[in-house]
Amino acid sequence: MSNVRDYLKEREKRLGSGSTVTQNKPSYKDKIRNHKLTIFYRAALVIVLIAAVAAFLVVQWKNKVFTESAVISSAPVTFVQGAKVEALGNSLLLYSKDGASCLDAKGNTLWNLTFEMQEPMVSICNDVAAIGDYNGRTVYVVSSSKQLGTVNTNLPIRKVCVAQNGVVAAVLDDADITRIQLYNGNENTDTDIIDIKATMDKSGYPMSLSLSPNGKLLAISYLHVDSGEMKSTVGFFNFGEVGKNESGNYVSGYDYLNTVVPYIQFMSNNTAFAVSDDRIVFFEGNEKPNNIASAFLEEEVQGIYYNENYVGLVYNDQTGEAAYRLDVYNAAGGKVHSLLFDIEYTDIIFNKDQIIIYNDIDCQICSMNGVDKFTGQFEKASSLIVPTSSVYRYIAVTGSSIDTIELH
């Protein structure tokens, strides 16, 4: 019997020990959960590593410096003597007193237009242009793909500007009254959409005007002199539903005493800026633009350049370190960069976060964070540089060809 009791006791010990092991052993659900967590942590680690490597490569690319430029393709072109060339979207607009044409980057003619003008004036908004004759009475409206329409005025033209949708604003001379008239440039017309009258004794003389890309807003800078006191007014007109409820479509305006505002420009549908002889002013609003920022200028502005994100003012450098200084502002009016340079520039382009400064031979490309990306010379003298979708590839217009240039 003692053997049986000993056996039973030993058996109970073994069973008890086995039940403890069973209780501590992970369940099937726990194993699945632990396996999923392991996979998640591994995937998260891989994603973090990939993001870190990508960020490193982006930083390296942004800080990459190029030492030379190379022509990777060239299309021979014959230009009419005296013709001027401008970027029209991704194409090229050529115009002279005898007509205009549009070419693509390979030198193919997209359209031709013949006319006779004494002093052609051109206004461009993205890939739409208005070509008018100073003191003439005809404005041709074109896009990069075709001619959109012709505007005929009954008064001499002094200034023109165009919107992306083909709306044209023209300053017309009418003896003691200066008229600003809007036309639909998408058709052949001699009927204005809106007629705004300006007289020196009331509103003043229009110094500059600009349409928003969608043609909804018009900004006009007026100069007014009363009893020997000079005053400039920046006025905004709205041709949408909001403007219909306002007298003369006038929705907002700002006066500036003892200063001239010869330049006003829309950057986008809801941002604009104006430059006077003593300040730069920024406006924002797609219905009734408000003055959101101002900065006083202590030096004479030598040049004004802009795109939808930045405005650049060029000054003669006073420190002696360089020939010129470029101060860059964002659309909110904040000064974001200042650059010293020595190139006797013919143009300055803002392209993404690049600043491209060039003349016919020399070129300097900088980033907004202060990195000098490229400083060098072109293989051939170029009258125009046009950025492409590739950040470091450009179209260069020479005296006899259209070249595609790539930085290396």
Side-chain angles (χ1 to χ4, degrees):
M1 291 294 295
S2 62
N3 291 335
V4 173
R5 285 194 298 269
D6 293 341
Y7 170 76
L8 292 174
K9 289 180 179 179
E10 188 65 30
R11 183 171 178 272
E12 288 176 358
K13 290 180 179 179
R14 288 199 302 271
L15 290 174
S17 175
S19 63
T20 301
V21 172
T22 301
Q23 292 173 0
N24 294 334
K25 184 178 180 181
S27 68
Y28 182 69
K29 290 183 178 180
D30 291 338
K31 289 182 178 180
I32 293 176
R33 185 173 65 253
N34 292 337
H35 180 66
K36 289 182 177 178
L37 287 174
T38 301
I39 293 176
F40 172 77
Y41 289 134
R42 288 177 179 174
L45 179 61
V46 170
I47 292 173
V48 170
L49 290 175
I50 292 175
V53 171
F56 175 77
L57 293 176
V58 168
V59 171
Q60 289 294 102
W61 178 251
K62 286 185 175 181
N63 294 330
K64 189 175 182 180
V65 175
F66 298 85
T67 57
E68 61 181 19
S69 63
V71 176
I72 60 174
S73 66
S74 181
V77 177
T78 301
F79 295 106
V80 176
Q81 186 175 6
K84 297 181 181 180
V85 59
E86 301 281 354
L88 187 62
N90 295 321
S91 303
L92 302 173
L93 174 66
L94 280 70
Y95 67 96
S96 66
K97 294 181 179 181
D98 302 316
S101 62
C102 188
L103 307 179
D104 64 16
K106 296 181 179 180
N108 300 313
T109 300
L110 303 177
W111 52 258
N112 267 313
L113 176 65
T114 58
F115 51 68
E116 291 184 4
M117 293 187 180
Q118 296 299 314
E119 192 175 341
M121 303 179 295
V122 171
S123 171
I124 296 176
C125 183
N126 299 324
D127 65 342
V128 173
I131 309 171
D133 190 11
Y134 182 82
N135 214 32
R137 304 192 181 201
T138 303
V139 179
Y140 298 93
V141 185
V142 298
S143 71
S144 57
S145 59
K146 62 181 180 179
Q147 181 181 351
L148 299 177
T150 303
V151 171
N152 296 299
T153 70
N154 57 359
L155 294 168
I157 300 169
R158 294 292 183 258
K159 295 182 178 70
V160 294
C161 70
V162 69
Q164 174 70 37
N165 62 358
V167 171
V168 174
V171 177
L172 308 178
D173 187 13
D174 187 9
D176 295 334
I177 298 175
T178 300
R179 297 181 180 272
I180 299 97
Q181 295 185 335
L182 265 68
Y183 301 87
N184 182 3
N186 293 289
E187 58 189 33
N188 296 329
T189 181
D190 57 1
T191 304
D192 60 277
I193 305 172
I194 302 292
D195 183 10
I196 303 171
K197 297 179 182 179
T199 58
M200 285 302 295
D201 60 335
K202 293 183 179 179
S203 57
Y205 182 79
M207 299 289 292
S208 178
L209 73 164
S210 178
L211 282 164
S212 60
N214 60 10
K216 181 179 178 180
L217 295 173
L218 172 67
I220 304 177
S221 166
Y222 296 96
L223 177 63
H224 181 69
V225 179
D226 184 18
S227 301
E229 185 177 62
M230 182 173 61
K231 179 182 72 173
S232 291
T233 299
V234 173
F236 290 93
F237 299 81
N238 184 317
F239 306 109
E241 291 300 320
V242 172
K244 291 179 181 179
N245 300 321
E246 304 292 340
S247 176
N249 297 89
Y250 188 85
V251 290
S252 62
Y254 301 89
D255 294 333
Y256 304 96
L257 296 177
N258 301 317
T259 187
V260 180
V261 184
Y263 191 94
I264 189 165
Q265 179 65 52
F266 272 97
M267 303 170 67
S268 65
N269 287 326
N270 65 342
T271 57
F273 72 97
V275 179
S276 76
D277 51 7
D278 67 352
R279 74 192 73 186
I280 180 170
V281 187
F282 291 84
F283 306 91
E284 184 179 65
N286 54 15
E287 298 292 351
K288 298 181 179 181
N290 296 312
N291 182 187
I292 59 169
S294 300
F296 285 94
L297 311 176
E298 298 180 356
E299 305 163 59
E300 183 179 356
V301 176
Q302 303 297 313
I304 304 170
Y305 302 90
Y306 72 95
N307 69 354
E308 66 274 13
N309 298 314
Y310 300 107
V311 177
L313 303 182
V314 178
Y315 305 92
N316 292 322
D317 180 49
Q318 304 297 322
T319 66
E321 297 182 37
Y324 302 101
R325 186 184 83 248
L326 174 68
D327 288 347
V328 183
Y329 300 82
N330 60 23
K335 187 176 176 181
V336 295
H337 190 57
S338 189
L339 171 69
L340 297 177
F341 66 96
D342 288 307
I343 293 178
E344 294 299 327
Y345 63 97
T346 56
D347 196 11
I348 296 177
I349 302 171
F350 293 105
N351 178 43
K352 299 182 174 63
D353 285 332
Q354 291 182 344
I355 305 170
I356 306 168
I357 307 171
Y358 71 93
N359 57 29
D360 58 342
I361 291 295
D362 303 300
C363 180
Q364 180 178 344
I365 301 175
C366 308
S367 66
M368 284 295 177
N369 61 359
V371 177
D372 289 328
K373 308 293 295 181
F374 174 78
T375 300
Q377 295 185 330
F378 301 126
E379 292 183 16
K380 293 183 279 185
S382 302
S383 59
L384 179 69
I385 299 296
V386 182
T388 68
S389 57
S390 176
V391 181
Y392 298 111
R393 184 174 291 181
Y394 309 90
I395 301 300
V397 180
T398 75
S400 59
S401 64
I402 298 174
D403 297 343
T404 300
I405 297 176
E406 191 172 72
L407 301 184
H408 297 286

